[in-house]
Amino acid sequence: MTTTSPEAQRYADPRVALDVTSDSVDLLLRHRSVRRFRPDAVADAQLRTIVAAAQSAPTSSNLQPWSVVAVRDPERKARLAHLAADQRFVAENGLLLIWVADLGRARRLACRHGTDLAAADYLETTLIAFIDTALAAQNAVVAAESLGLGTVFVGAIRDHPKQVAAELALPPHTVAAFGLALGVPDPDAPAGIKPRLPQQAVLHHEQYDAVTADAELPAYDRRLAAYRASYGLSGDWTTRVLARLRGPESMAGRHLLREVLQRRGLPSR
Amino acid sequence: MTTTSPEAQRYADPRVALDVTSDSVDLLLRHRSVRRFRPDAVADAQLRTIVAAAQSAPTSSNLQPWSVVAVRDPERKARLAHLAADQRFVAENGLLLIWVADLGRARRLACRHGTDLAAADYLETTLIAFIDTALAAQNAVVAAESLGLGTVFVGAIRDHPKQVAAELALPPHTVAAFGLALGVPDPDAPAGIKPRLPQQAVLHHEQYDAVTADAELPAYDRRLAAYRASYGLSGDWTTRVLARLRGPESMAGRHLLREVLQRRGLPSR
């Protein structure tokens, strides 16, 4: 394997070179999704540090509208893995965190104080809960990786939100937003750095310029196809995006999310 | 001022001590929202590094459903500041980034290929776009802070989404999710580390336990009230959360977000 900078790997383009960096940037650039872990448990001391990092992320109006459930029980992990597309890494990891978009804490406060909380009926507030949960969880990823752990998000935790809520005893006005599996990466199954879109495809100056941005997509299709081919997989980016978003049949039940959120007390008015 | 660990500051509790840390964790724990900047511009080389870090964040099925618009033009910044609750730091900073939840790129691909993209009609897909935008933007925050910059998110960019879209020439199926002001922190106006909820209020083990978690809230109310008092501000956490979420009148127009998203081509089916 050739020695290349993390940014050249990130863009699968040897011409990319960043002029400014830091140790933390280097850590961020080297992120990869780890789906195979050694059996070692993530220690409670590591968990406390990871959650403190998560809580240090920005949050809209200091609302802190999220919670996290740490799952260690192997049987519970196995049941959650079954609900999340039977993905092995949901069961086999050093720690499973379920990140919860949580407007329940504020709703309970309002109930105890006998006041209205009508803003929580609106999609805007539900979005804030998901955004702030994501900001916190990404800090958790960075913290975990800085401690030598590997991570992977589990969006499939939204495939069966009602059953996941029952498994975790989630109260009203809360929903599992996504999972995060953590652990010591299995050295026998190293994960690759997934190439991303050229920066010119996502970064605009002053105004959005779709023509210039989209002109980068064919080159990216070739790079991603080559990366996938190196793992014995076929398909370029365009093909995979179009397949993933084709229609409700490609959504593993998540086309029902709006109704599920409504029933869980997170309406989208 | 006494010398305290970042974790003791983060929780406004001198008893809190983490047993495990790293340089990156230390950076995360020391995060604060910076709203006063020196006039120095954020260099293009720094911007490229920040965006590369953002692109290195996880993204659901590698969809990469976001874009970012870098705004340097002082007049455009001033107009955006006016649209975002007239907040001074939206105009006066070293760089303004507008993070865009972007399903337009995939929609344009589908259009060019003559295929359906019906999954993008569902709230689930809009949520993915906002979640992935947030994951990326949080990496940008971490990268920027590691380069010595200060940052603050601007949720008020959602107060007037239609006008913001016009200002940035945003195409259909995209919406400004939030802004991020960056710059060299003004040493004459240092920002504080905002105390967060006790970890026991947000971290659950195996199942959600609302009684144990909510028992922490009175102590937090006292700590946050003391922190605010040190800045000459009144109010505890409970009071502020209940005021912020009272009803549509407390939402600065954002109670209309669902209709706005629909009109911008991000429906919530």
Side-chain angles (χ1 to χ4, degrees), chain A residues 162-185:
Chain A
K162 183 182 165 187
Q163 292 89 328
V164 169
E167 181 64 64
L168 303 177
L170 298 185
H173 313 292
T174 70
V175 69
F178 42 77
L180 182 70
L182 304 96
V184 178

Side-chain angles (χ1 to χ4, degrees), chain A residues 105 109 112, chain B residues 197-198 201 213-222 237-238:
Chain A
R105 188 185 298 118
L109 275 180
R112 291 198 287 270
Chain B
L197 287 164
D214 289 2
E216 303 287 335
L217 301 185
Y220 180 59
D221 269 333
R222 289 190 294 274
W237 188 68
T238 295

Side-chain angles (χ1 to χ4, degrees), chain B:
Chain B
M1 186 178 273
T2 56
T3 312
T4 48
S5 70
E7 60 265 31
Q9 283 190 273
R10 175 56 69 202
Y11 292 106
D13 183 348
R15 297 168 301 177
V16 175
L18 298 174
D19 298 325
V20 179
T21 191
S22 71
D23 289 347
S24 291
V25 164
D26 202 61
L27 178 76
L28 299 175
L29 294 178
R30 291 182 191 279
H31 166 77
R32 66 221 45 207
S33 293
V34 174
R35 294 182 174 84
R36 295 283 295 276
F37 302 99
R38 290 170 51 91
D40 315 59
V42 173
D44 276 331
Q46 293 176 307
L47 172 59
R48 281 192 294 272
T49 296
I50 290 165
V51 173
Q55 290 190 265
S56 300
T59 165
S60 182
S61 305
N62 197 31
L63 290 175
Q64 308 179 64
W66 59 269
S67 292
V68 60
V69 183
V71 179
R72 295 189 182 279
D73 176 359
E75 294 182 11
R76 178 167 285 115
K77 279 187 191 175
R79 291 192 296 270
L80 289 168
H82 182 61
L83 293 171
D86 276 315
Q87 294 175 104
R88 178 175 159 183
F89 52 84
V90 183
E92 299 180 12
N93 51 59
L95 175 68
L96 180 65
L97 295 178
I98 309 294
W99 296 87
V100 177
D102 189 346
L103 292 167
R105 188 185 297 119
R107 292 272 197 180
R108 297 192 298 272
L109 275 180
C111 183
R112 290 198 288 270
H113 284 74
T115 60
D116 275 346
L117 205 77
D121 293 341
Y122 291 84
L123 178 59
E124 157 72 12
T125 306
T126 297
L127 265 182
I128 284 179
F130 276 90
I131 290 170
D132 286 4
T133 305
L135 298 175
Q138 182 56 21
N139 258 16
V141 166
V142 176
E145 294 184 352
S146 81
L147 300 177
L149 300 170
T151 68
V152 64
F153 277 120
V154 185
I157 212 74
R158 294 195 302 281
D159 289 2
H160 297 286
K162 183 182 164 187
Q163 291 90 328
V164 168
E167 181 65 63
L168 303 177
L170 297 185
H173 313 292
T174 70
V175 70
F178 41 77
L180 182 70
L182 304 95
V184 178
D186 181 348
D188 296 333
I193 293 183
K194 177 88 63 82
R196 295 286 196 237
L197 287 164
Q199 195 162 107
Q200 301 89 320
V202 304
L203 173 59
H204 304 258
H205 296 278
E206 299 302 330
Q207 293 195 314
Y208 193 111
D209 176 354
V211 173
T212 301
D214 289 2
E216 303 287 335
L217 301 185
Y220 180 59
D221 269 333
R222 289 190 294 274
R223 284 177 204 142
L224 193 73
Y227 175 83
R228 290 176 55 78
S230 74
Y231 286 87
L233 302 167
S234 66
D236 62 15
W237 188 68
T238 295
T239 309
R240 292 182 55 75
V241 166
L242 296 181
R244 175 66 179 75
L245 297 178
R246 181 164 302 135
E249 72 283 1
S250 65
M251 296 176 73
R254 290 190 238 163
H255 62 294
L256 302 172
L257 186 70
R258 189 175 151 219
E259 291 92 303
V260 170
L261 288 178
Q262 172 87 34
R263 281 197 297 273
R264 292 213 47 75
L266 294 141
S268 344
R269 187 168 166 183

